[in-house]
């Protein structure tokens, strides 16, 4: 699951056909190296994304590099809280050309102060459902998030479900993602809502990186 999710993240970010080239890679930790890929029109910056998860005090990080839109470089804090000590934060930095060799990225600092909001929270590995418990949202987390994906390989279907609190930036884009890469099919959605208010599905990068981090923590 780790490898296919990582590849699918980059497949969603990358395309071919325009003049901008960015390094493409992903790896656990805070550094990775890869080949240059040509970006499609509209992907006008090179992005470096660092995701960090914490589960009961234990931290894991994963980094990914690829082509992004310039709008992705201006998002606010990307943090999620799935209850029971599981949090995931993501930072992004953008660069062009030689500047990418020295550009660094940091994750948003943790803000443990409750903000008066709460959301259903749970994690269901190998399940399309999970047992919800109410968790208090903290800092800038003002949305309730629901992440669901299924990974299909060789007739085996692996479902994952995650619910919790998220910042507004996590819910900024509307996307439902389905596709195949190297014989693995992934169908993924992320939905956000406020109490009594539904939001549309959001982008691929956050839940996919979250899933990869979760499998690292729980493996």
């Amino acid at each position: 699951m780790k490898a296919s999710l990582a590849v699918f993240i980059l497949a969603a970010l990358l395309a071919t056909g325009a003049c901008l080239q960015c390094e493409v890679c992903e790896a656990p930790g805070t550094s990775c190296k890869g080949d240059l890929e040509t970006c499609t029109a509209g992907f006008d910056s090179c992005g470096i994304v660092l995701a960090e998860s914490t589960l009961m005090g234990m931290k894991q990080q994963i980094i990914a590099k690829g082509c992004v839109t310039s709008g992705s470089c201006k998002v606010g804090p990307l943090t999620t809280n799935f209850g029971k000590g599981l949090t995931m934060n993501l930072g992004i930095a953008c660069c062009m050309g030689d500047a990418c060799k020295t550009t660094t990225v940091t994750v948003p600092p943790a803000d443990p102060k409750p903000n008066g909001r709460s959301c259903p929270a749970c994690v269901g590995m190998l399940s399309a459902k999970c047992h919800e418990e109410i968790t208090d949202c903290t800092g800038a987390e003002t949305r309730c998030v629901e992440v669901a994906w299924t990974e299909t390989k060789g007739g085996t279907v692996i479902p994952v479900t995650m619910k919790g609190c998220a910042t507004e930036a996590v819910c900024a884009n509307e996307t439902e993602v389905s596709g195949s890469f190297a014989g693995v099919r992934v169908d993924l959605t992320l939905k956000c809502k406020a109490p009594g208010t539904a939001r549309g599905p959001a982008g691929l990068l956050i839940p996919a990186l979250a899933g990869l981090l979760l499998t690292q923590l729980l493996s």
Side-chain angles (χ1 to χ4, degrees):
M1 183 185 294
K2 295 181 185 179
S4 57
L5 278 172
V7 169
F8 202 69
I9 296 167
L10 296 178
L13 286 172
L14 303 174
T16 59
C19 57
L20 177 65
Q21 288 191 320
C22 299
E23 183 181 19
V24 177
C25 60
E26 60 81 22
T30 59
S31 64
C32 67
K33 292 184 178 180
D35 296 330
L36 293 178
E37 298 272 350
T38 303
C39 304
T40 188
F43 289 77
D44 52 0
S45 295
C46 298
I48 305 172
V49 180
L50 180 64
E52 180 180 271
S53 66
T54 302
L55 177 60
M56 304 303 293
M58 183 175 64
K59 292 184 178 182
Q60 293 277 1
Q61 293 180 318
I62 184 170
I63 192 168
K65 298 180 182 180
C67 305
V68 299
T69 63
S70 55
S72 301
C73 308
K74 304 173 184 178
V75 298
L78 296 161
T79 68
T80 52
N81 168 20
F82 296 104
K84 293 187 176 180
L86 175 58
T87 63
M88 297 184 183
N89 300 342
L90 186 146
I92 183 169
C94 294
C95 54
M96 299 286 285
D98 289 340
C100 293
K101 297 178 181 179
T102 57
T103 297
T104 59
V105 58
T106 58
V107 297
D111 185 350
K113 183 178 180 180
N115 60 23
R117 297 175 173 84
S118 60
C119 294
C122 60
V123 175
M125 296 294 292
L126 306 178
S127 175
K129 297 181 179 180
C130 55
H131 179 67
E132 297 179 2
E133 296 182 3
I134 299 301
T135 192
D136 292 328
C137 302
T138 63
E141 297 164 355
T142 59
R143 297 287 180 181
C144 297
V145 63
E146 298 182 9
V147 181
W149 78 78
T150 57
E151 180 180 322
T152 305
K153 182 177 182 180
T156 300
V157 179
I158 303 173
V160 180
T161 302
M162 304 170 72
K163 299 181 181 182
C165 302
T167 56
E168 182 65 36
V170 173
C171 306
N173 302 312
E174 292 192 6
T175 306
E176 289 187 357
V177 178
S178 297
S180 298
F181 193 90
V184 179
R185 177 176 177 83
V186 174
D187 298 280
L188 184 147
T189 62
L190 185 153
K191 296 182 179 180
C192 292
K193 61 182 179 180
T197 303
R199 294 269 301 194
L204 168 68
L205 185 59
I206 304 305
L209 280 174
L212 182 56
L213 283 164
L214 185 63
T215 57
Q216 289 180 324
L217 281 169
L218 300 183
S219 61

